[in-house]
């Protein structure tokens, strides 16, 4: 028997509506009652959690691990270490790898690789369309059997509304949710930054808010029509928030996700052409940031995620137009959200923040993670909500360095990450 | 005027103060005078190496920079996109660092991506002169426009300058807007709503889609070329309709005040944005712009490339 007691922490377990000072007991890798420690002679690991929050292991449901195919950006192993360092015990990886995760064999490869090398739980997603090219349906049923938790063409967006409708209907039968990167290709064109004041000033091709909202609207219509769950990834505009609010009030099975950079920064940041501010969807205007904050506060937007998108220095250090979209985020997202949502703007309390990182994604993906129920796998994140720290880019665990947050001071972070009862990361 | 020039690079007019812009224009006066001499060459950049690095095609601007460098006694090499290793997959950064390893002192860059000169300016010891980056800036073109206006009208402040055409995709328009606003001109942008979005009003200019209302009170009209190569056809219904609504035809030119200057950065599409007779008429200063461009570029090369060692 192995046992751990996490003592004197504030245990916040939204799944069980629990928030109180307590000890948390782990026996043989699972959450247990204190009475389950039958052999007091054996060594019991003691962890002092006074002044810390003891939370269910956090879930980031939007991560690019880059394997197979792009191991120079990130590997499943290094991405998992970054997740652990950020307080995440479960991460959901996107299928835009090489080859694309659109067959059961690629899913099996990812799962094997994760089992062999990842220190956190890695849950794969499969592509909606073959080769994420938006033209033919992928083998959605077989992908579900192979163990994907969702299907998505993330990074791409199916433009053919009829094809998308069939995907949603089919996914409903199979029982997997759809995650969608909302981008109308005609409206967005070759846009690289938010269409507005700064794109006008700098002469950079604009990515209009309507390019996201048109697809959010499409997804609302299809979720309603097909009575199935569609999740809008990385929502960025005030218009999207308005559409989602109205649809959710009618009970449409639609959810929205927020990434930290879209509330921490505005498009003003692009003025020096630093490609670490280039992401897709792009940084928006202050009015959009304000709308996202309100959407988080009133639960229109229910899920927080990083869209962790590693790229090598030599890939990012090019002309702005030519640089790939995306930034890493696993190791800074919890700090940013705690700092901005809980401390600075006071939009939500820490219990809701934990819920948005646990219960909400677990419910959407129908996975058993994100709870401290007795008998659940002992995935636990210890959080110091008041710890002030500074991001040091070169001390991050990710294999890539493409972050605009180097040197940022923030308040609050994970200090220990426990997966299946084992500490996989400790500050 | 005690302003001194302390910049390594000329990346755009947005970052310059009115004093700095005026200082360049005053320096240009001296170099314009050099062009009228029997011996048109001065030793200001003797021993310096200038690289004309044109990743996007250009004849006029490249030739102007090349001649300016010759007249300053610099050694000049020209590299274009097709002759550079960029076509072999080399990054812009690596190509530029190789040029620097050959001790290039000044890099004149034309590039299709906005921000490319900033990118290199931040990474190289050599001076970087922006010869046009995407739809962002074309500072020497705007400087020569400013110089020409100042030369012909004796001032810039208080004049009403009308810029007509494809503003959205125009680096010439942006640099002109930044420079003209800083020097106190009133600026009106005219063109189809798809190419002149209202967002431009936030840059301190007026926007109009009715050319006939604007022309009678213009002191300068600057016509921009309709850029076929950067143009997706859905921006306006066709060339005929463009000319009908926004072309400076003979008839429309009669609306202009007699002393209104007609400018164009070239190359001209005769019969599209401007009628042939208007382009060649008495109010046209299009060729003066070309002459002044040479003097402006000499001044810029001298200020950025020459001061470090003097």
């Amino acid at each position: 028997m192995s046992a751990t007691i996490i003592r004197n922490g504030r245990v916040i377990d939204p799944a069980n509506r629990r928030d109180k000072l307590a000890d948390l007991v782990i026996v043989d890798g699972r959450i247990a009652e204190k009475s389950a420690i039958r052999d007091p002679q054996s060594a019991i690991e003691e962890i002092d959690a006074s002044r810390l929050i003891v939370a269910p292991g956090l879930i980031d449901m939007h991560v690019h691990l880059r394997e197979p195919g792009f191991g120079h950006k990130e590997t499943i192993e290094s991405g998992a270490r970054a997740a652990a360092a950020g307080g995440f015990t479960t991460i959901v990886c996107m299928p835009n790898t090489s080859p694309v995760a659109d067959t059961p064999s690629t899913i099996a490869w990812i799962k094997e690789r994760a089992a062999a090398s990842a220190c956190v739980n890695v849950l794969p997603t499969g592509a909606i369309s073959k080769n994420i090219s938006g033209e033919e349906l992928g083998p959605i049923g077989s992908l579900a059997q192979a163990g994907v938790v969702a299907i998505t063409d993330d990074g791409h967006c199916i433009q053919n509304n009829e094809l998308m409708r069939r995907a949603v209907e089919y996914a409903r039968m199979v029982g997997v949710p759809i995650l969608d990167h909302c981008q109308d290709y005609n409206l967005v064109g070759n846009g690289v930054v938010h269409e507005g004041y700064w794109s006008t000033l700098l002469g950079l091709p604009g990515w209009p808010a309507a390019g996201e909202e048109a697809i959010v609207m499409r997804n609302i219509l299809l979720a309603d029509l097909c009575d199935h769950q569609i999740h809008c990834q990385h929502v960025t505009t005030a218009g999207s928030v308005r559409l989602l609010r109205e649809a959710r009030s009618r009970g449409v099975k639609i959810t929205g996700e927020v990434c930290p950079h879209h509330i921490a920064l505005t498009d003003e940041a692009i003025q020096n052409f630093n490609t670490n501010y280039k992401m897709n969807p792009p940084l928006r205007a202050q009015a959009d940031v304000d709308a996202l904050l309100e959407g988080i506060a009133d639960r229109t937007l229910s899920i927080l995620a990083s869209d962790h998108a590693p790229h090598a220095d030599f890939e990012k250090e090019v002309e702005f137009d030519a640089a790939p979209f995306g930034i890493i985020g696993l190791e800074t997202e919890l700090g940013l959200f705690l700092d901005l949502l809980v401390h600075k703007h006071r939009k939500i309390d820490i219990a809701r923040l934990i819920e948005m990182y646990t219960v909400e994604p677990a419910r959407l993906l129908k996975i058993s993670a994100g709870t401290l129920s007795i008998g659940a796998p002992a995935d636990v994140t210890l959080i110091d909500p008041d710890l002030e720290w500074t991001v040091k880019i070169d001390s991050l665990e990710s294999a890539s360095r493409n972050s605009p947050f180097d040197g940022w001071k923030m308040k609050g972070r994970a200090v220990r990450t426990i997966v299946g009862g084992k500490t996989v990361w400790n500050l | 005027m005690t302003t001194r020039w302390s910049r390594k690079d000329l990346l755009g007019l947005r970052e310059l103060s009115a004093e700095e812009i005026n200082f360049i224009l005053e320096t240009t006066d001296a170099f314009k005078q050099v062009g009228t001499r029997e011996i048109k060459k001065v030793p200001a950049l003797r021993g310096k190496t200038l690289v004309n690095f044109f990743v996007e095609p250009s004849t006029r601007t490249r030739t102007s920079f090349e001649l300016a460098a010759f007249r300053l006694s610099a050694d000049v090499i020209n590299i274009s996109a097709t002759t550079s290793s960029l076509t072999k997959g080399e990054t812009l950064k690596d190509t530029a660092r190789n040029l620097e390893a050959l001790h290039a002192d000044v890099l004149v860059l034309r590039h299709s991506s906005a921000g490319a000169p900033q990118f290199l300016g931040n990474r190289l010891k050599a001076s970087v002169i922006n010869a046009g980056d995407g739809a962002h800036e074309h500072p020497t073109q705007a400087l020569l426009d400013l110089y020409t206006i100042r030369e012909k009208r004796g001032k810039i402040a208080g004049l009403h300058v009308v810029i007509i055409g494809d503003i959205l995709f125009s680096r010439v328009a942006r640099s002109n807007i930044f420079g003209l606003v800083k020097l106190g001109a009133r600026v009106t942008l005219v063109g189809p709503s798809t190419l002149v979005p209202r967002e431009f009003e936030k840059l301190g200019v007026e926007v109009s889609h009715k050319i006939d209302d604007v022309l009678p009170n213009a002191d300068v009209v600057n016509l921009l070329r309709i850029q076929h190569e950067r143009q997706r056809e859905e921006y306006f219904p066709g060339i005929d309709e463009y000319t009908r609504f926004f072309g400076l035809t003979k008839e429309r030119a009669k609306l202009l005040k007699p002393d209104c200057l007609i400018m164009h950065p070239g190359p001209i599409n005769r019969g599209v944005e401007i009628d042939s007779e208007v382009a060649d008429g008495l109010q046209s200063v299009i060729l003066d712009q070309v002459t002044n461009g040479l003097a402006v570029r000499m001044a810029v090369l001298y200020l950025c490339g020459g001061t470090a060692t003097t």
Side-chain angles (χ1 to χ4, degrees):
Chain A
M1 188 192 79
S2 74
T4 302
I5 302 180
I6 301 169
R7 292 200 185 274
N8 302 317
R10 178 182 164 196
V11 175
I12 299 181
D13 181 17
N16 292 300
R17 302 184 184 286
R18 186 152 72 124
D19 182 351
K20 63 173 184 179
L21 285 177
D23 296 343
L24 187 76
V25 177
I26 298 170
V27 173
D28 293 335
R30 291 183 177 274
I31 307 296
E33 305 275 12
K34 227 171 215 167
S35 59
I37 305 178
R38 294 177 193 288
D39 181 5
Q41 304 299 92
S42 66
I44 296 172
E45 183 188 17
E46 299 257 351
I47 296 171
D48 178 19
S50 33
R51 294 182 310 280
L52 298 181
I53 286 165
V54 179
L58 305 182
I59 302 164
D60 184 340
M61 61 172 283
H62 192 163
V63 170
H64 297 270
L65 293 181
R66 302 304 189 202
E67 271 193 313
F70 306 109
H72 66 285
K73 298 172 192 268
E74 191 85 281
T75 61
I76 289 173
E77 189 265 339
S78 66
R81 266 192 288 116
F88 294 88
T89 59
T90 297
I91 52 180
V92 176
C93 60
M94 297 297 113
N96 58 339
T97 48
S98 179
V100 168
D102 61 357
T103 63
S105 62
T106 304
I107 300 302
W109 187 93
I110 292 168
K111 290 174 81 169
E112 277 170 33
R113 186 87 177 153
S117 69
C119 65
V120 302
N121 307 304
V122 173
L123 305 179
T125 56
I128 303 172
S129 69
K130 284 182 189 161
N131 204 34
I132 50 178
S133 58
E135 287 165 7
E136 290 175 81
L137 290 185
I140 297 169
S142 308
L143 290 167
Q145 278 186 341
V148 303
V149 294
I151 53 170
T152 175
D153 275 6
D154 182 39
H156 298 257
C157 178
I158 292 179
Q159 301 295 293
N160 179 332
N161 295 333
E162 162 65 7
L163 184 71
M164 188 66 170
R165 179 210 167 146
R166 299 304 170 206
V168 178
E169 280 181 341
Y170 200 89
R172 180 177 193 270
M173 172 187 80
V174 175
V176 290
I178 291 198
L179 321 178
D180 198 28
H181 167 120
C182 303
Q183 176 177 354
D184 182 297
Y185 289 178
N186 285 311
L187 280 168
V188 173
N190 60 351
V192 291
V193 298
H194 174 58
E195 182 178 302
Y197 175 76
W198 286 102
S199 69
T200 303
L201 188 79
L202 299 172
L204 284 167
W207 196 135
E212 173 176 304
E213 291 151 9
I215 298 294
V216 168
M217 187 72 238
R218 183 271 307 262
N219 289 344
I220 289 168
L221 296 173
L222 294 183
D224 202 7
L225 177 68
C226 307
D227 188 32
H228 187 54
Q229 187 68 52
I230 303 179
H231 172 69
C232 297
Q233 300 177 294
H234 43 46
V235 170
T236 63
T237 79
S240 295
V241 176
R242 236 178 359 251
L243 290 165
L244 290 170
R245 181 177 291 127
E246 188 277 334
R248 283 168 66 84
S249 75
R250 289 187 287 120
V252 177
K253 292 177 179 170
I254 191 102
T255 48
E257 157 192 303
V258 185
C259 298
H261 41 277
H262 291 129
I263 62 165
L265 298 164
T266 66
D267 60 343
E268 187 177 1
I270 62 178
Q271 63 182 297
N272 295 318
F273 299 97
N274 181 337
T275 58
N276 278 336
Y277 298 101
K278 180 180 175 182
M279 54 282 281
N280 189 12
L283 299 175
R284 299 286 182 191
Q286 187 61 47
D288 296 302
V289 172
D290 295 342
L292 292 178
L293 292 172
E294 286 315 306
I296 290 168
D298 72 9
R299 299 182 173 230
T300 297
L301 301 165
S302 56
I303 287 172
L304 305 175
S306 64
D307 191 9
H308 180 80
H311 293 293
D313 288 348
F314 70 87
E315 294 168 317
K316 271 293 209 185
E317 211 177 339
V318 295
E319 303 89 314
F320 199 89
D321 283 335
F325 291 101
I327 60 169
I328 56 170
L330 277 165
E331 293 167 81
T332 47
E333 61 180 303
L334 180 60
L336 283 165
F337 277 134
L338 277 168
D339 194 52
L340 294 170
L341 296 179
V342 178
H343 294 303
K344 189 173 168 206
H345 299 303
R346 296 171 185 270
K347 292 296 174 187
I348 52 173
D349 62 16
I350 194 160
R352 174 60 184 161
L353 183 143
I354 290 167
E355 189 172 44
M356 293 175 79
Y357 265 134
T358 54
V359 176
E360 296 280 6
R363 182 190 299 142
L364 174 66
L365 301 170
K366 290 181 270 181
I367 56 176
S368 59
T371 169
L372 296 176
S373 299
I374 301 298
D379 295 346
V380 184
T381 303
L382 302 193
I383 298 167
D384 184 338
D386 298 313
L387 183 66
E388 298 189 15
W389 62 292
T390 303
V391 179
K392 293 198 178 73
I393 195 79
D394 288 323
S395 64
L396 300 185
E397 297 290 334
S398 170
S400 284
R401 294 283 172 265
N402 54 314
S403 168
F405 298 116
D406 188 24
W408 275 48
K409 292 180 175 23
M410 38 191 95
K411 189 174 175 186
R413 66 170 296 160
V415 295
R416 184 191 285 258
T417 306
I418 297 168
V419 175
K422 272 177 45 186
T423 293
V424 294
W425 185 82
N426 195 1
L427 183 65
Chain B
M1 177 74 61
T2 56
T3 313
R4 293 192 42 193
W5 185 260
S6 57
R7 291 176 187 270
K8 171 173 86 72
D9 308 316
L10 178 67
L11 303 175
L13 295 197
R14 182 164 76 90
E15 64 181 6
L16 299 189
S17 65
E19 289 71 27
E20 286 174 302
I21 294 171
N22 280 322
F23 185 63
I24 297 173
L25 299 182
E26 281 158 28
T27 308
T28 302
D29 284 332
F31 285 105
K32 177 140 192 198
Q33 194 267 327
V34 171
T36 63
R37 294 183 199 162
E38 181 103 12
I39 306 291
K40 297 181 175 60
K41 201 155 175 154
V42 293
L45 293 188
R46 192 165 59 199
K48 300 270 185 181
T49 303
L50 178 137
V51 178
N52 261 331
F53 188 21
F54 279 62
V55 181
E56 192 183 65
S58 159
T59 306
R60 177 176 317 247
T61 304
R62 184 184 58 72
T63 310
S64 181
F65 269 109
E66 190 173 356
L67 196 52
F70 283 145
R71 291 197 172 170
L72 295 169
S73 307
D75 298 316
V76 180
I77 54 172
N78 290 304
I79 298 173
S80 66
T82 45
T83 60
S84 78
S85 293
L86 290 172
T87 53
K88 299 175 189 167
E90 187 171 62
T91 64
L92 178 63
K93 183 183 167 193
D94 283 333
T95 301
R97 288 174 75 180
N98 276 280
L99 294 172
E100 190 165 65
L102 297 170
H103 306 295
D105 299 292
V106 180
L107 191 68
V108 177
L109 180 70
R110 159 72 59 95
H111 199 290
S112 58
S113 286
Q118 272 84 348
F119 176 85
L120 288 185
N122 292 340
R123 286 165 177 77
L124 297 180
K125 288 194 292 291
S127 288
V128 175
I129 311 294
N130 182 2
D133 60 329
H136 181 218
E137 287 229 37
H138 191 351
T140 58
Q141 176 66 46
L143 287 166
L144 74 88
D145 292 342
L146 293 170
Y147 187 86
T148 305
I149 296 169
R150 175 178 169 272
E151 181 183 61
K152 300 292 177 190
R153 299 297 302 260
K155 62 173 184 176
I156 290 169
L159 294 183
H160 183 202
V161 179
V162 177
I163 307 174
I164 303 170
D166 172 1
I167 310 293
L168 183 62
F169 293 99
S170 175
R171 52 192 170 218
V172 176
R174 283 181 180 75
S175 287
N176 261 286
I177 290 166
F178 299 138
L180 287 164
V181 169
K182 279 178 208 281
L183 296 188
R186 174 186 166 204
V187 179
T188 302
L189 309 178
V190 176
S193 49
T194 46
L195 292 174
V196 192
R198 290 272 165 194
E199 197 75 25
F200 275 96
E201 289 174 347
K202 293 180 187 162
L203 306 188
V205 301
E206 295 161 49
V207 168
S208 171
H209 308 301
K210 293 181 177 165
I211 188 170
D212 293 346
D213 294 355
V214 176
L215 291 181
N217 53 46
D219 296 307
V220 177
V221 293
N222 198 346
L223 296 149
L224 303 181
R225 189 169 62 92
I226 290 299
Q227 311 205 39
H228 302 290
E229 77 271 16
R230 238 193 296 280
Q231 182 78 42
R232 293 196 299 169
E233 58 185 311
E234 57 266 43
Y235 279 90
F236 56 85
I239 293 290
D240 282 357
E241 183 157 316
Y242 181 85
T243 305
R244 184 187 316 244
F245 280 82
F246 299 105
L248 188 59
T249 57
K250 270 186 299 182
E251 287 306 307
R252 283 214 175 93
K254 290 176 188 160
L255 297 170
L256 295 171
K257 292 193 270 189
D259 60 349
C260 178
L261 304 178
I262 296 173
M263 304 175 75
H264 193 303
I268 300 173
N269 298 314
R270 288 179 187 263
V272 179
E273 67 266 6
I274 185 167
D275 265 359
S276 207
E277 293 106 295
V278 180
D280 299 331
L282 289 173
Q283 287 171 276
S284 167
V285 294
I286 295 172
L287 293 176
D288 299 87
Q289 290 174 267
V290 177
T291 306
N292 289 336
L294 186 58
V296 160
R297 290 182 176 116
M298 286 173 78
V300 166
L301 293 177
Y302 167 73
L303 291 173
C304 291
T307 47
T309 52
T310 53

